[in-house]
Amino acid sequence: MKYPINVIAGVSVLLSSPVMSSSFSPAVFGRATAGVKNADRMTLLLRGGGEDASIVSSSAANGGGVALSAVSGGGEVEEAPSTSSSSKVGPNAPPPGPLRRLFPKFPWHELPNYLTYARCISIPIFLGLSYFPVIMPNRAPVLSLLFAMASITDWFDGFLARRWDVTSPFGAFLDPVADKLMVSTALIVLAGRYGGIVAIPAAIIMAREVGVSALREWMAQRGARDSVKVGMQGKIKAALTMVSITLMLLVPEGVGLESVSWTKHLGILGVGGAGSVVEGVVNDGLAWMLGPSLLMLFASAFVTVTSGSVYFRAAAPVLLGKE
């Protein structure tokens, strides 16, 4: 008696699935891998069949490969590639690129979190290198490079998380915290070196971060967090702050504010910048970066105020009890 090809193929797929295999005794049916071998033998029977059918079977949650993917006109059977269980990217992620194909066992879905962890680890390293060792001629370029790499990871981990459709509650919490800790640490170090001319914009930036963070948490408790989500002004502020700090860190120790002509009009704010200078040691760096980096820091403080006001205006109806 002849059975239609789609019935035979359907039975073979059902028997080869891990769910069916685990429902019967291994002595009779074997493990799920034996079911896959049965499906392979059935594939040979299906070759050359004349009826059109479309059969798709997918692995269960244990990461097994696909036994059959399609049987269509002429009986040709194609085997779908099996996906590595370690590459648990989201369903909307694009196909693997060269690196993901080259290292399929690497937990790529954890890479955004790894970058965030690296940024957290860089904070104590940055703080230590700011003062020790005392004699460090290339301190300026090292600190600038370290901060620049941390800033890049702040953008890159978010980019990868969106591209690969991977999120985690801990990563969503730690990412903005690591960003604020790194910026705050660098601003405090620079304020100690240059005095009030950096301390004032640094205080504005840090106060805004604390206020907006508290506002977002409060709005989230009332289910209105979307009204204070990060906008374009916030992104511009973050970019200006990180670029200004990176450039200011390039200025070698010993270059004071007197090297910037317009700071003499600021009174006591225009004095400072000796740093940890050791006699006889020539410090590497770019002295002319001090003026432009200060102007960028002032611009960042201005955008900080305007962007913060946008968030508080958006939350005003809830804050004042009008909603």
Side-chain angles (χ1 to χ4, degrees):
M1 178 178 180
K2 294 184 178 180
Y3 293 92
I5 187 172
N6 57 347
V7 175
I8 298 175
V11 172
S12 68
V13 170
L14 182 62
L15 291 177
S16 63
S17 66
V19 176
M20 287 295 294
S21 299
S22 61
S23 302
F24 299 95
S25 170
V28 180
F29 293 99
R31 297 187 180 273
T33 52
V36 175
K37 292 180 180 179
N38 292 337
D40 291 338
R41 286 196 290 269
M42 183 58 66
T43 299
L44 298 177
L45 296 176
L46 293 176
R47 291 189 182 276
E51 297 185 31
D52 290 339
S54 177
I55 304 164
V56 178
S57 71
S58 59
S59 170
N62 64 352
V66 176
L68 295 175
S69 62
V71 181
S72 58
E76 290 296 328
V77 178
E78 297 178 357
E79 293 187 3
S82 75
T83 7
S84 171
S85 59
S86 62
S87 181
K88 301 174 183 177
V89 295
N92 298 322
L99 278 178
R100 285 170 59 194
R101 289 196 300 267
L102 187 61
F103 303 101
K105 297 298 183 182
F106 183 82
W108 293 103
H109 62 288
E110 292 286 354
L111 184 57
N113 284 343
Y114 292 162
L115 292 175
T116 304
Y117 302 153
R119 192 157 69 255
C120 292
I121 294 172
S122 68
I123 296 172
I125 297 175
F126 175 88
L127 191 59
L129 290 177
S130 297
Y131 301 103
F132 304 101
V134 177
I135 301 178
M136 187 177 177
N138 58 346
R139 190 190 313 275
V142 168
L143 291 179
S144 180
L145 179 61
L146 182 60
F147 184 85
M149 292 177 63
S151 301
I152 291 173
T153 63
D154 178 46
W155 167 82
F156 196 50
D157 59 5
F159 169 78
L160 290 179
R162 290 186 298 270
R163 180 173 175 81
W164 291 343
D165 192 22
V166 289
T167 57
S168 68
F170 185 68
F173 155 76
L174 190 61
D175 178 57
V177 171
D179 169 33
K180 292 172 177 56
L181 288 177
M182 188 68 188
V183 170
S184 300
T185 302
L187 286 174
I188 291 171
V189 169
L190 290 171
R193 181 186 302 179
Y194 296 108
I197 199 170
V198 173
I200 291 175
I204 294 173
I205 292 171
M206 294 167 64
R208 181 263 190 194
E209 294 297 343
V210 172
V212 171
S213 297
L215 177 65
R216 285 182 178 142
E217 182 180 355
W218 187 81
M219 293 291 285
Q221 293 175 357
R222 282 150 182 79
R225 185 181 176 87
D226 287 345
S227 60
V228 288
K229 63 183 179 181
V230 179
M232 182 54 65
Q233 280 193 335
K235 295 178 181 179
I236 293 174
K237 182 271 305 179
L240 278 174
T241 304
M242 290 178 177
V243 172
S244 64
I245 293 174
T246 301
L247 296 181
M248 200 176 299
L249 289 169
L250 272 176
V251 179
E253 293 171 304
V255 176
L257 295 174
E258 65 277 359
S259 65
V260 183
S261 60
W262 50 267
T263 58
K264 63 185 178 182
H265 304 292
L266 300 178
I268 193 173
L269 294 180
V271 180
S276 303
V277 181
V278 178
E279 187 177 355
V281 176
V282 179
N283 294 299
D284 296 331
L286 301 175
W288 63 271
M289 285 287 188
L290 183 56
S293 62
L294 284 172
L295 292 175
M296 291 188 69
L297 187 62
F298 296 156
S300 172
F302 176 76
V303 178
T304 292
V305 174
T306 58
S307 64
S309 65
V310 170
Y311 296 135
F312 279 94
R313 282 202 307 269
V318 182
L319 286 170
L320 300 176
K322 294 181 180 179
E323 286 189 3

